[in-house]
Amino acid sequence: MRQATITLFFFIICVSTTLAQGKYQSSPDAFKSENYTKAEYPLYPKVERIDNVTYKFGKRVIKVSAKEEQFHKIFEKGIFNPDVIFGTVSAKYSKNESKASSKKGKTFHDIFNNPNISVSYFDSLEKLDPNPKKKRFIFWVSREGMLNPTEYYLELYNGEAKKDTSWDEFVENAKMSFFKMGTIII
C-alpha cells in the first residue's frame, strides 16, 4: 500500500510538471528570430463588451475564456485586433451560390469566414518574455463548425514599461507587436 501511494505521488508530480510546461513546448519556436518580425499593429477602434466573456469587434463576436480576468483588458482596449489576425475580407456569394449553400448546410467558406469565434485558452508565457517591455501569450481559437482549436501566439509591447510596471500600467500603453498562427490542437 505504501509503495502504491509513493508511486501515485510521483506520478502526480510528473504529470502536473509536464502539463505546466506544455504551453512552452512549441512556443519558443514561434518567437525564434527566423519566425519573428516585430511590427506595430493598430488598436481596434471601438470594442463593445457585451457581457463578462463576450466582445464585439464590428461584426465579429469573440467569446473569451481567459483564466485570469486581467487578460480581458487586452480585448477591452482593442489591443487584440481580430482584423489583423483573421483579416477583414469576406468573399461574397452570388444569389445562386448562396441558395445552394444554404440547402447543403455549412460550407468550407462559411466556416472560415464566420465572424464568431471563441478564445478557449489564453495564457501568459512569462518564461519567454525577453524583457519588461514585452509580454508574450498563447491562445486557442475555435471557429463554429471546426472540431479542434487553432493555436496562436501573441506579443504585446510597451516601450515605457519597466520591471516594476504593474499589469494595468503595461496594458494602458501596450500595442500588439507580433502574432503567429501555430498548429491545430488535436
Side-chain angles (χ1 to χ4, degrees), residues 14 31 43-44 47 49-50 57 67 80 95 100 110 117 119 136 149 159 161 166:
C14 291
F31 297 101
L43 298 175
Y44 194 86
V47 180
R49 188 167 187 170
I50 297 172
F57 295 81
K67 71 178 187 177
F80 178 89
K95 286 183 181 179
D110 296 330
I117 61 172
V119 175
R136 293 175 172 172
S166 72

Side-chain angles (χ1 to χ4, degrees), residues 1-173:
M1 179 69 176
R2 183 171 181 227
Q3 186 177 11
T5 304
I6 291 171
T7 304
L8 179 62
F9 176 73
F10 284 114
F11 175 76
I12 290 171
I13 289 173
C14 291
V15 168
S16 63
T17 303
T18 303
L19 290 175
Q21 293 174 348
K23 68 181 178 179
Y24 293 103
Q25 285 178 348
S26 59
S27 304
D29 292 340
F31 297 101
K32 282 191 176 170
S33 62
E34 64 268 10
N35 297 322
Y36 182 84
T37 305
K38 184 181 177 216
E40 189 172 307
Y41 299 100
L43 298 175
Y44 194 86
K46 187 176 181 217
V47 180
E48 179 184 342
R49 188 167 187 170
I50 297 172
D51 59 33
N52 288 342
V53 297
T54 311
Y55 301 88
K56 189 169 184 182
F57 295 81
K59 293 181 181 178
R60 190 180 307 270
V61 175
I62 299 177
K63 288 191 175 201
V64 179
S65 298
K67 71 178 187 177
E68 296 181 35
E69 179 62 30
Q70 69 182 14
F71 294 145
H72 284 270
K73 287 190 180 262
I74 296 169
F75 296 90
E76 284 175 14
K77 294 190 58 54
I79 297 168
F80 178 89
N81 187 335
D83 289 348
V84 171
I85 296 176
F86 307 112
T88 57
V89 179
S90 177
K92 304 272 188 211
Y93 282 139
S94 70
K95 286 183 181 179
N96 291 338
E97 288 173 318
S98 181
K99 286 178 186 175
S101 70
S102 64
K103 289 179 186 174
K104 295 177 190 173
K106 288 245 181 247
T107 65
F108 190 73
H109 170 273
D110 296 330
I111 291 169
F112 283 96
N113 286 303
N114 185 342
N116 303 326
I117 61 172
S118 64
V119 175
S120 58
Y121 174 75
F122 194 94
D123 205 2
S124 177
L125 297 170
E126 300 96 3
K127 292 180 184 176
L128 299 180
D129 292 343
N131 62 55
K133 296 177 186 292
K134 295 180 182 179
K135 298 213 181 282
R136 293 175 172 172
F137 304 91
I138 184 172
F139 62 100
W140 295 355
V141 171
S142 299
R143 296 176 189 263
E144 189 177 308
M146 297 287 289
L147 294 176
N148 298 6
T150 304
E151 181 177 73
Y152 285 85
Y153 300 98
L154 176 73
E155 178 183 82
L156 302 184
Y157 179 79
N158 178 341
E160 300 170 14
K162 295 177 177 57
K163 256 187 172 176
D164 61 343
T165 301
S166 72
W167 172 255
D168 290 337
E169 291 173 314
F170 182 87
V171 172
E172 191 60 39
N173 296 309

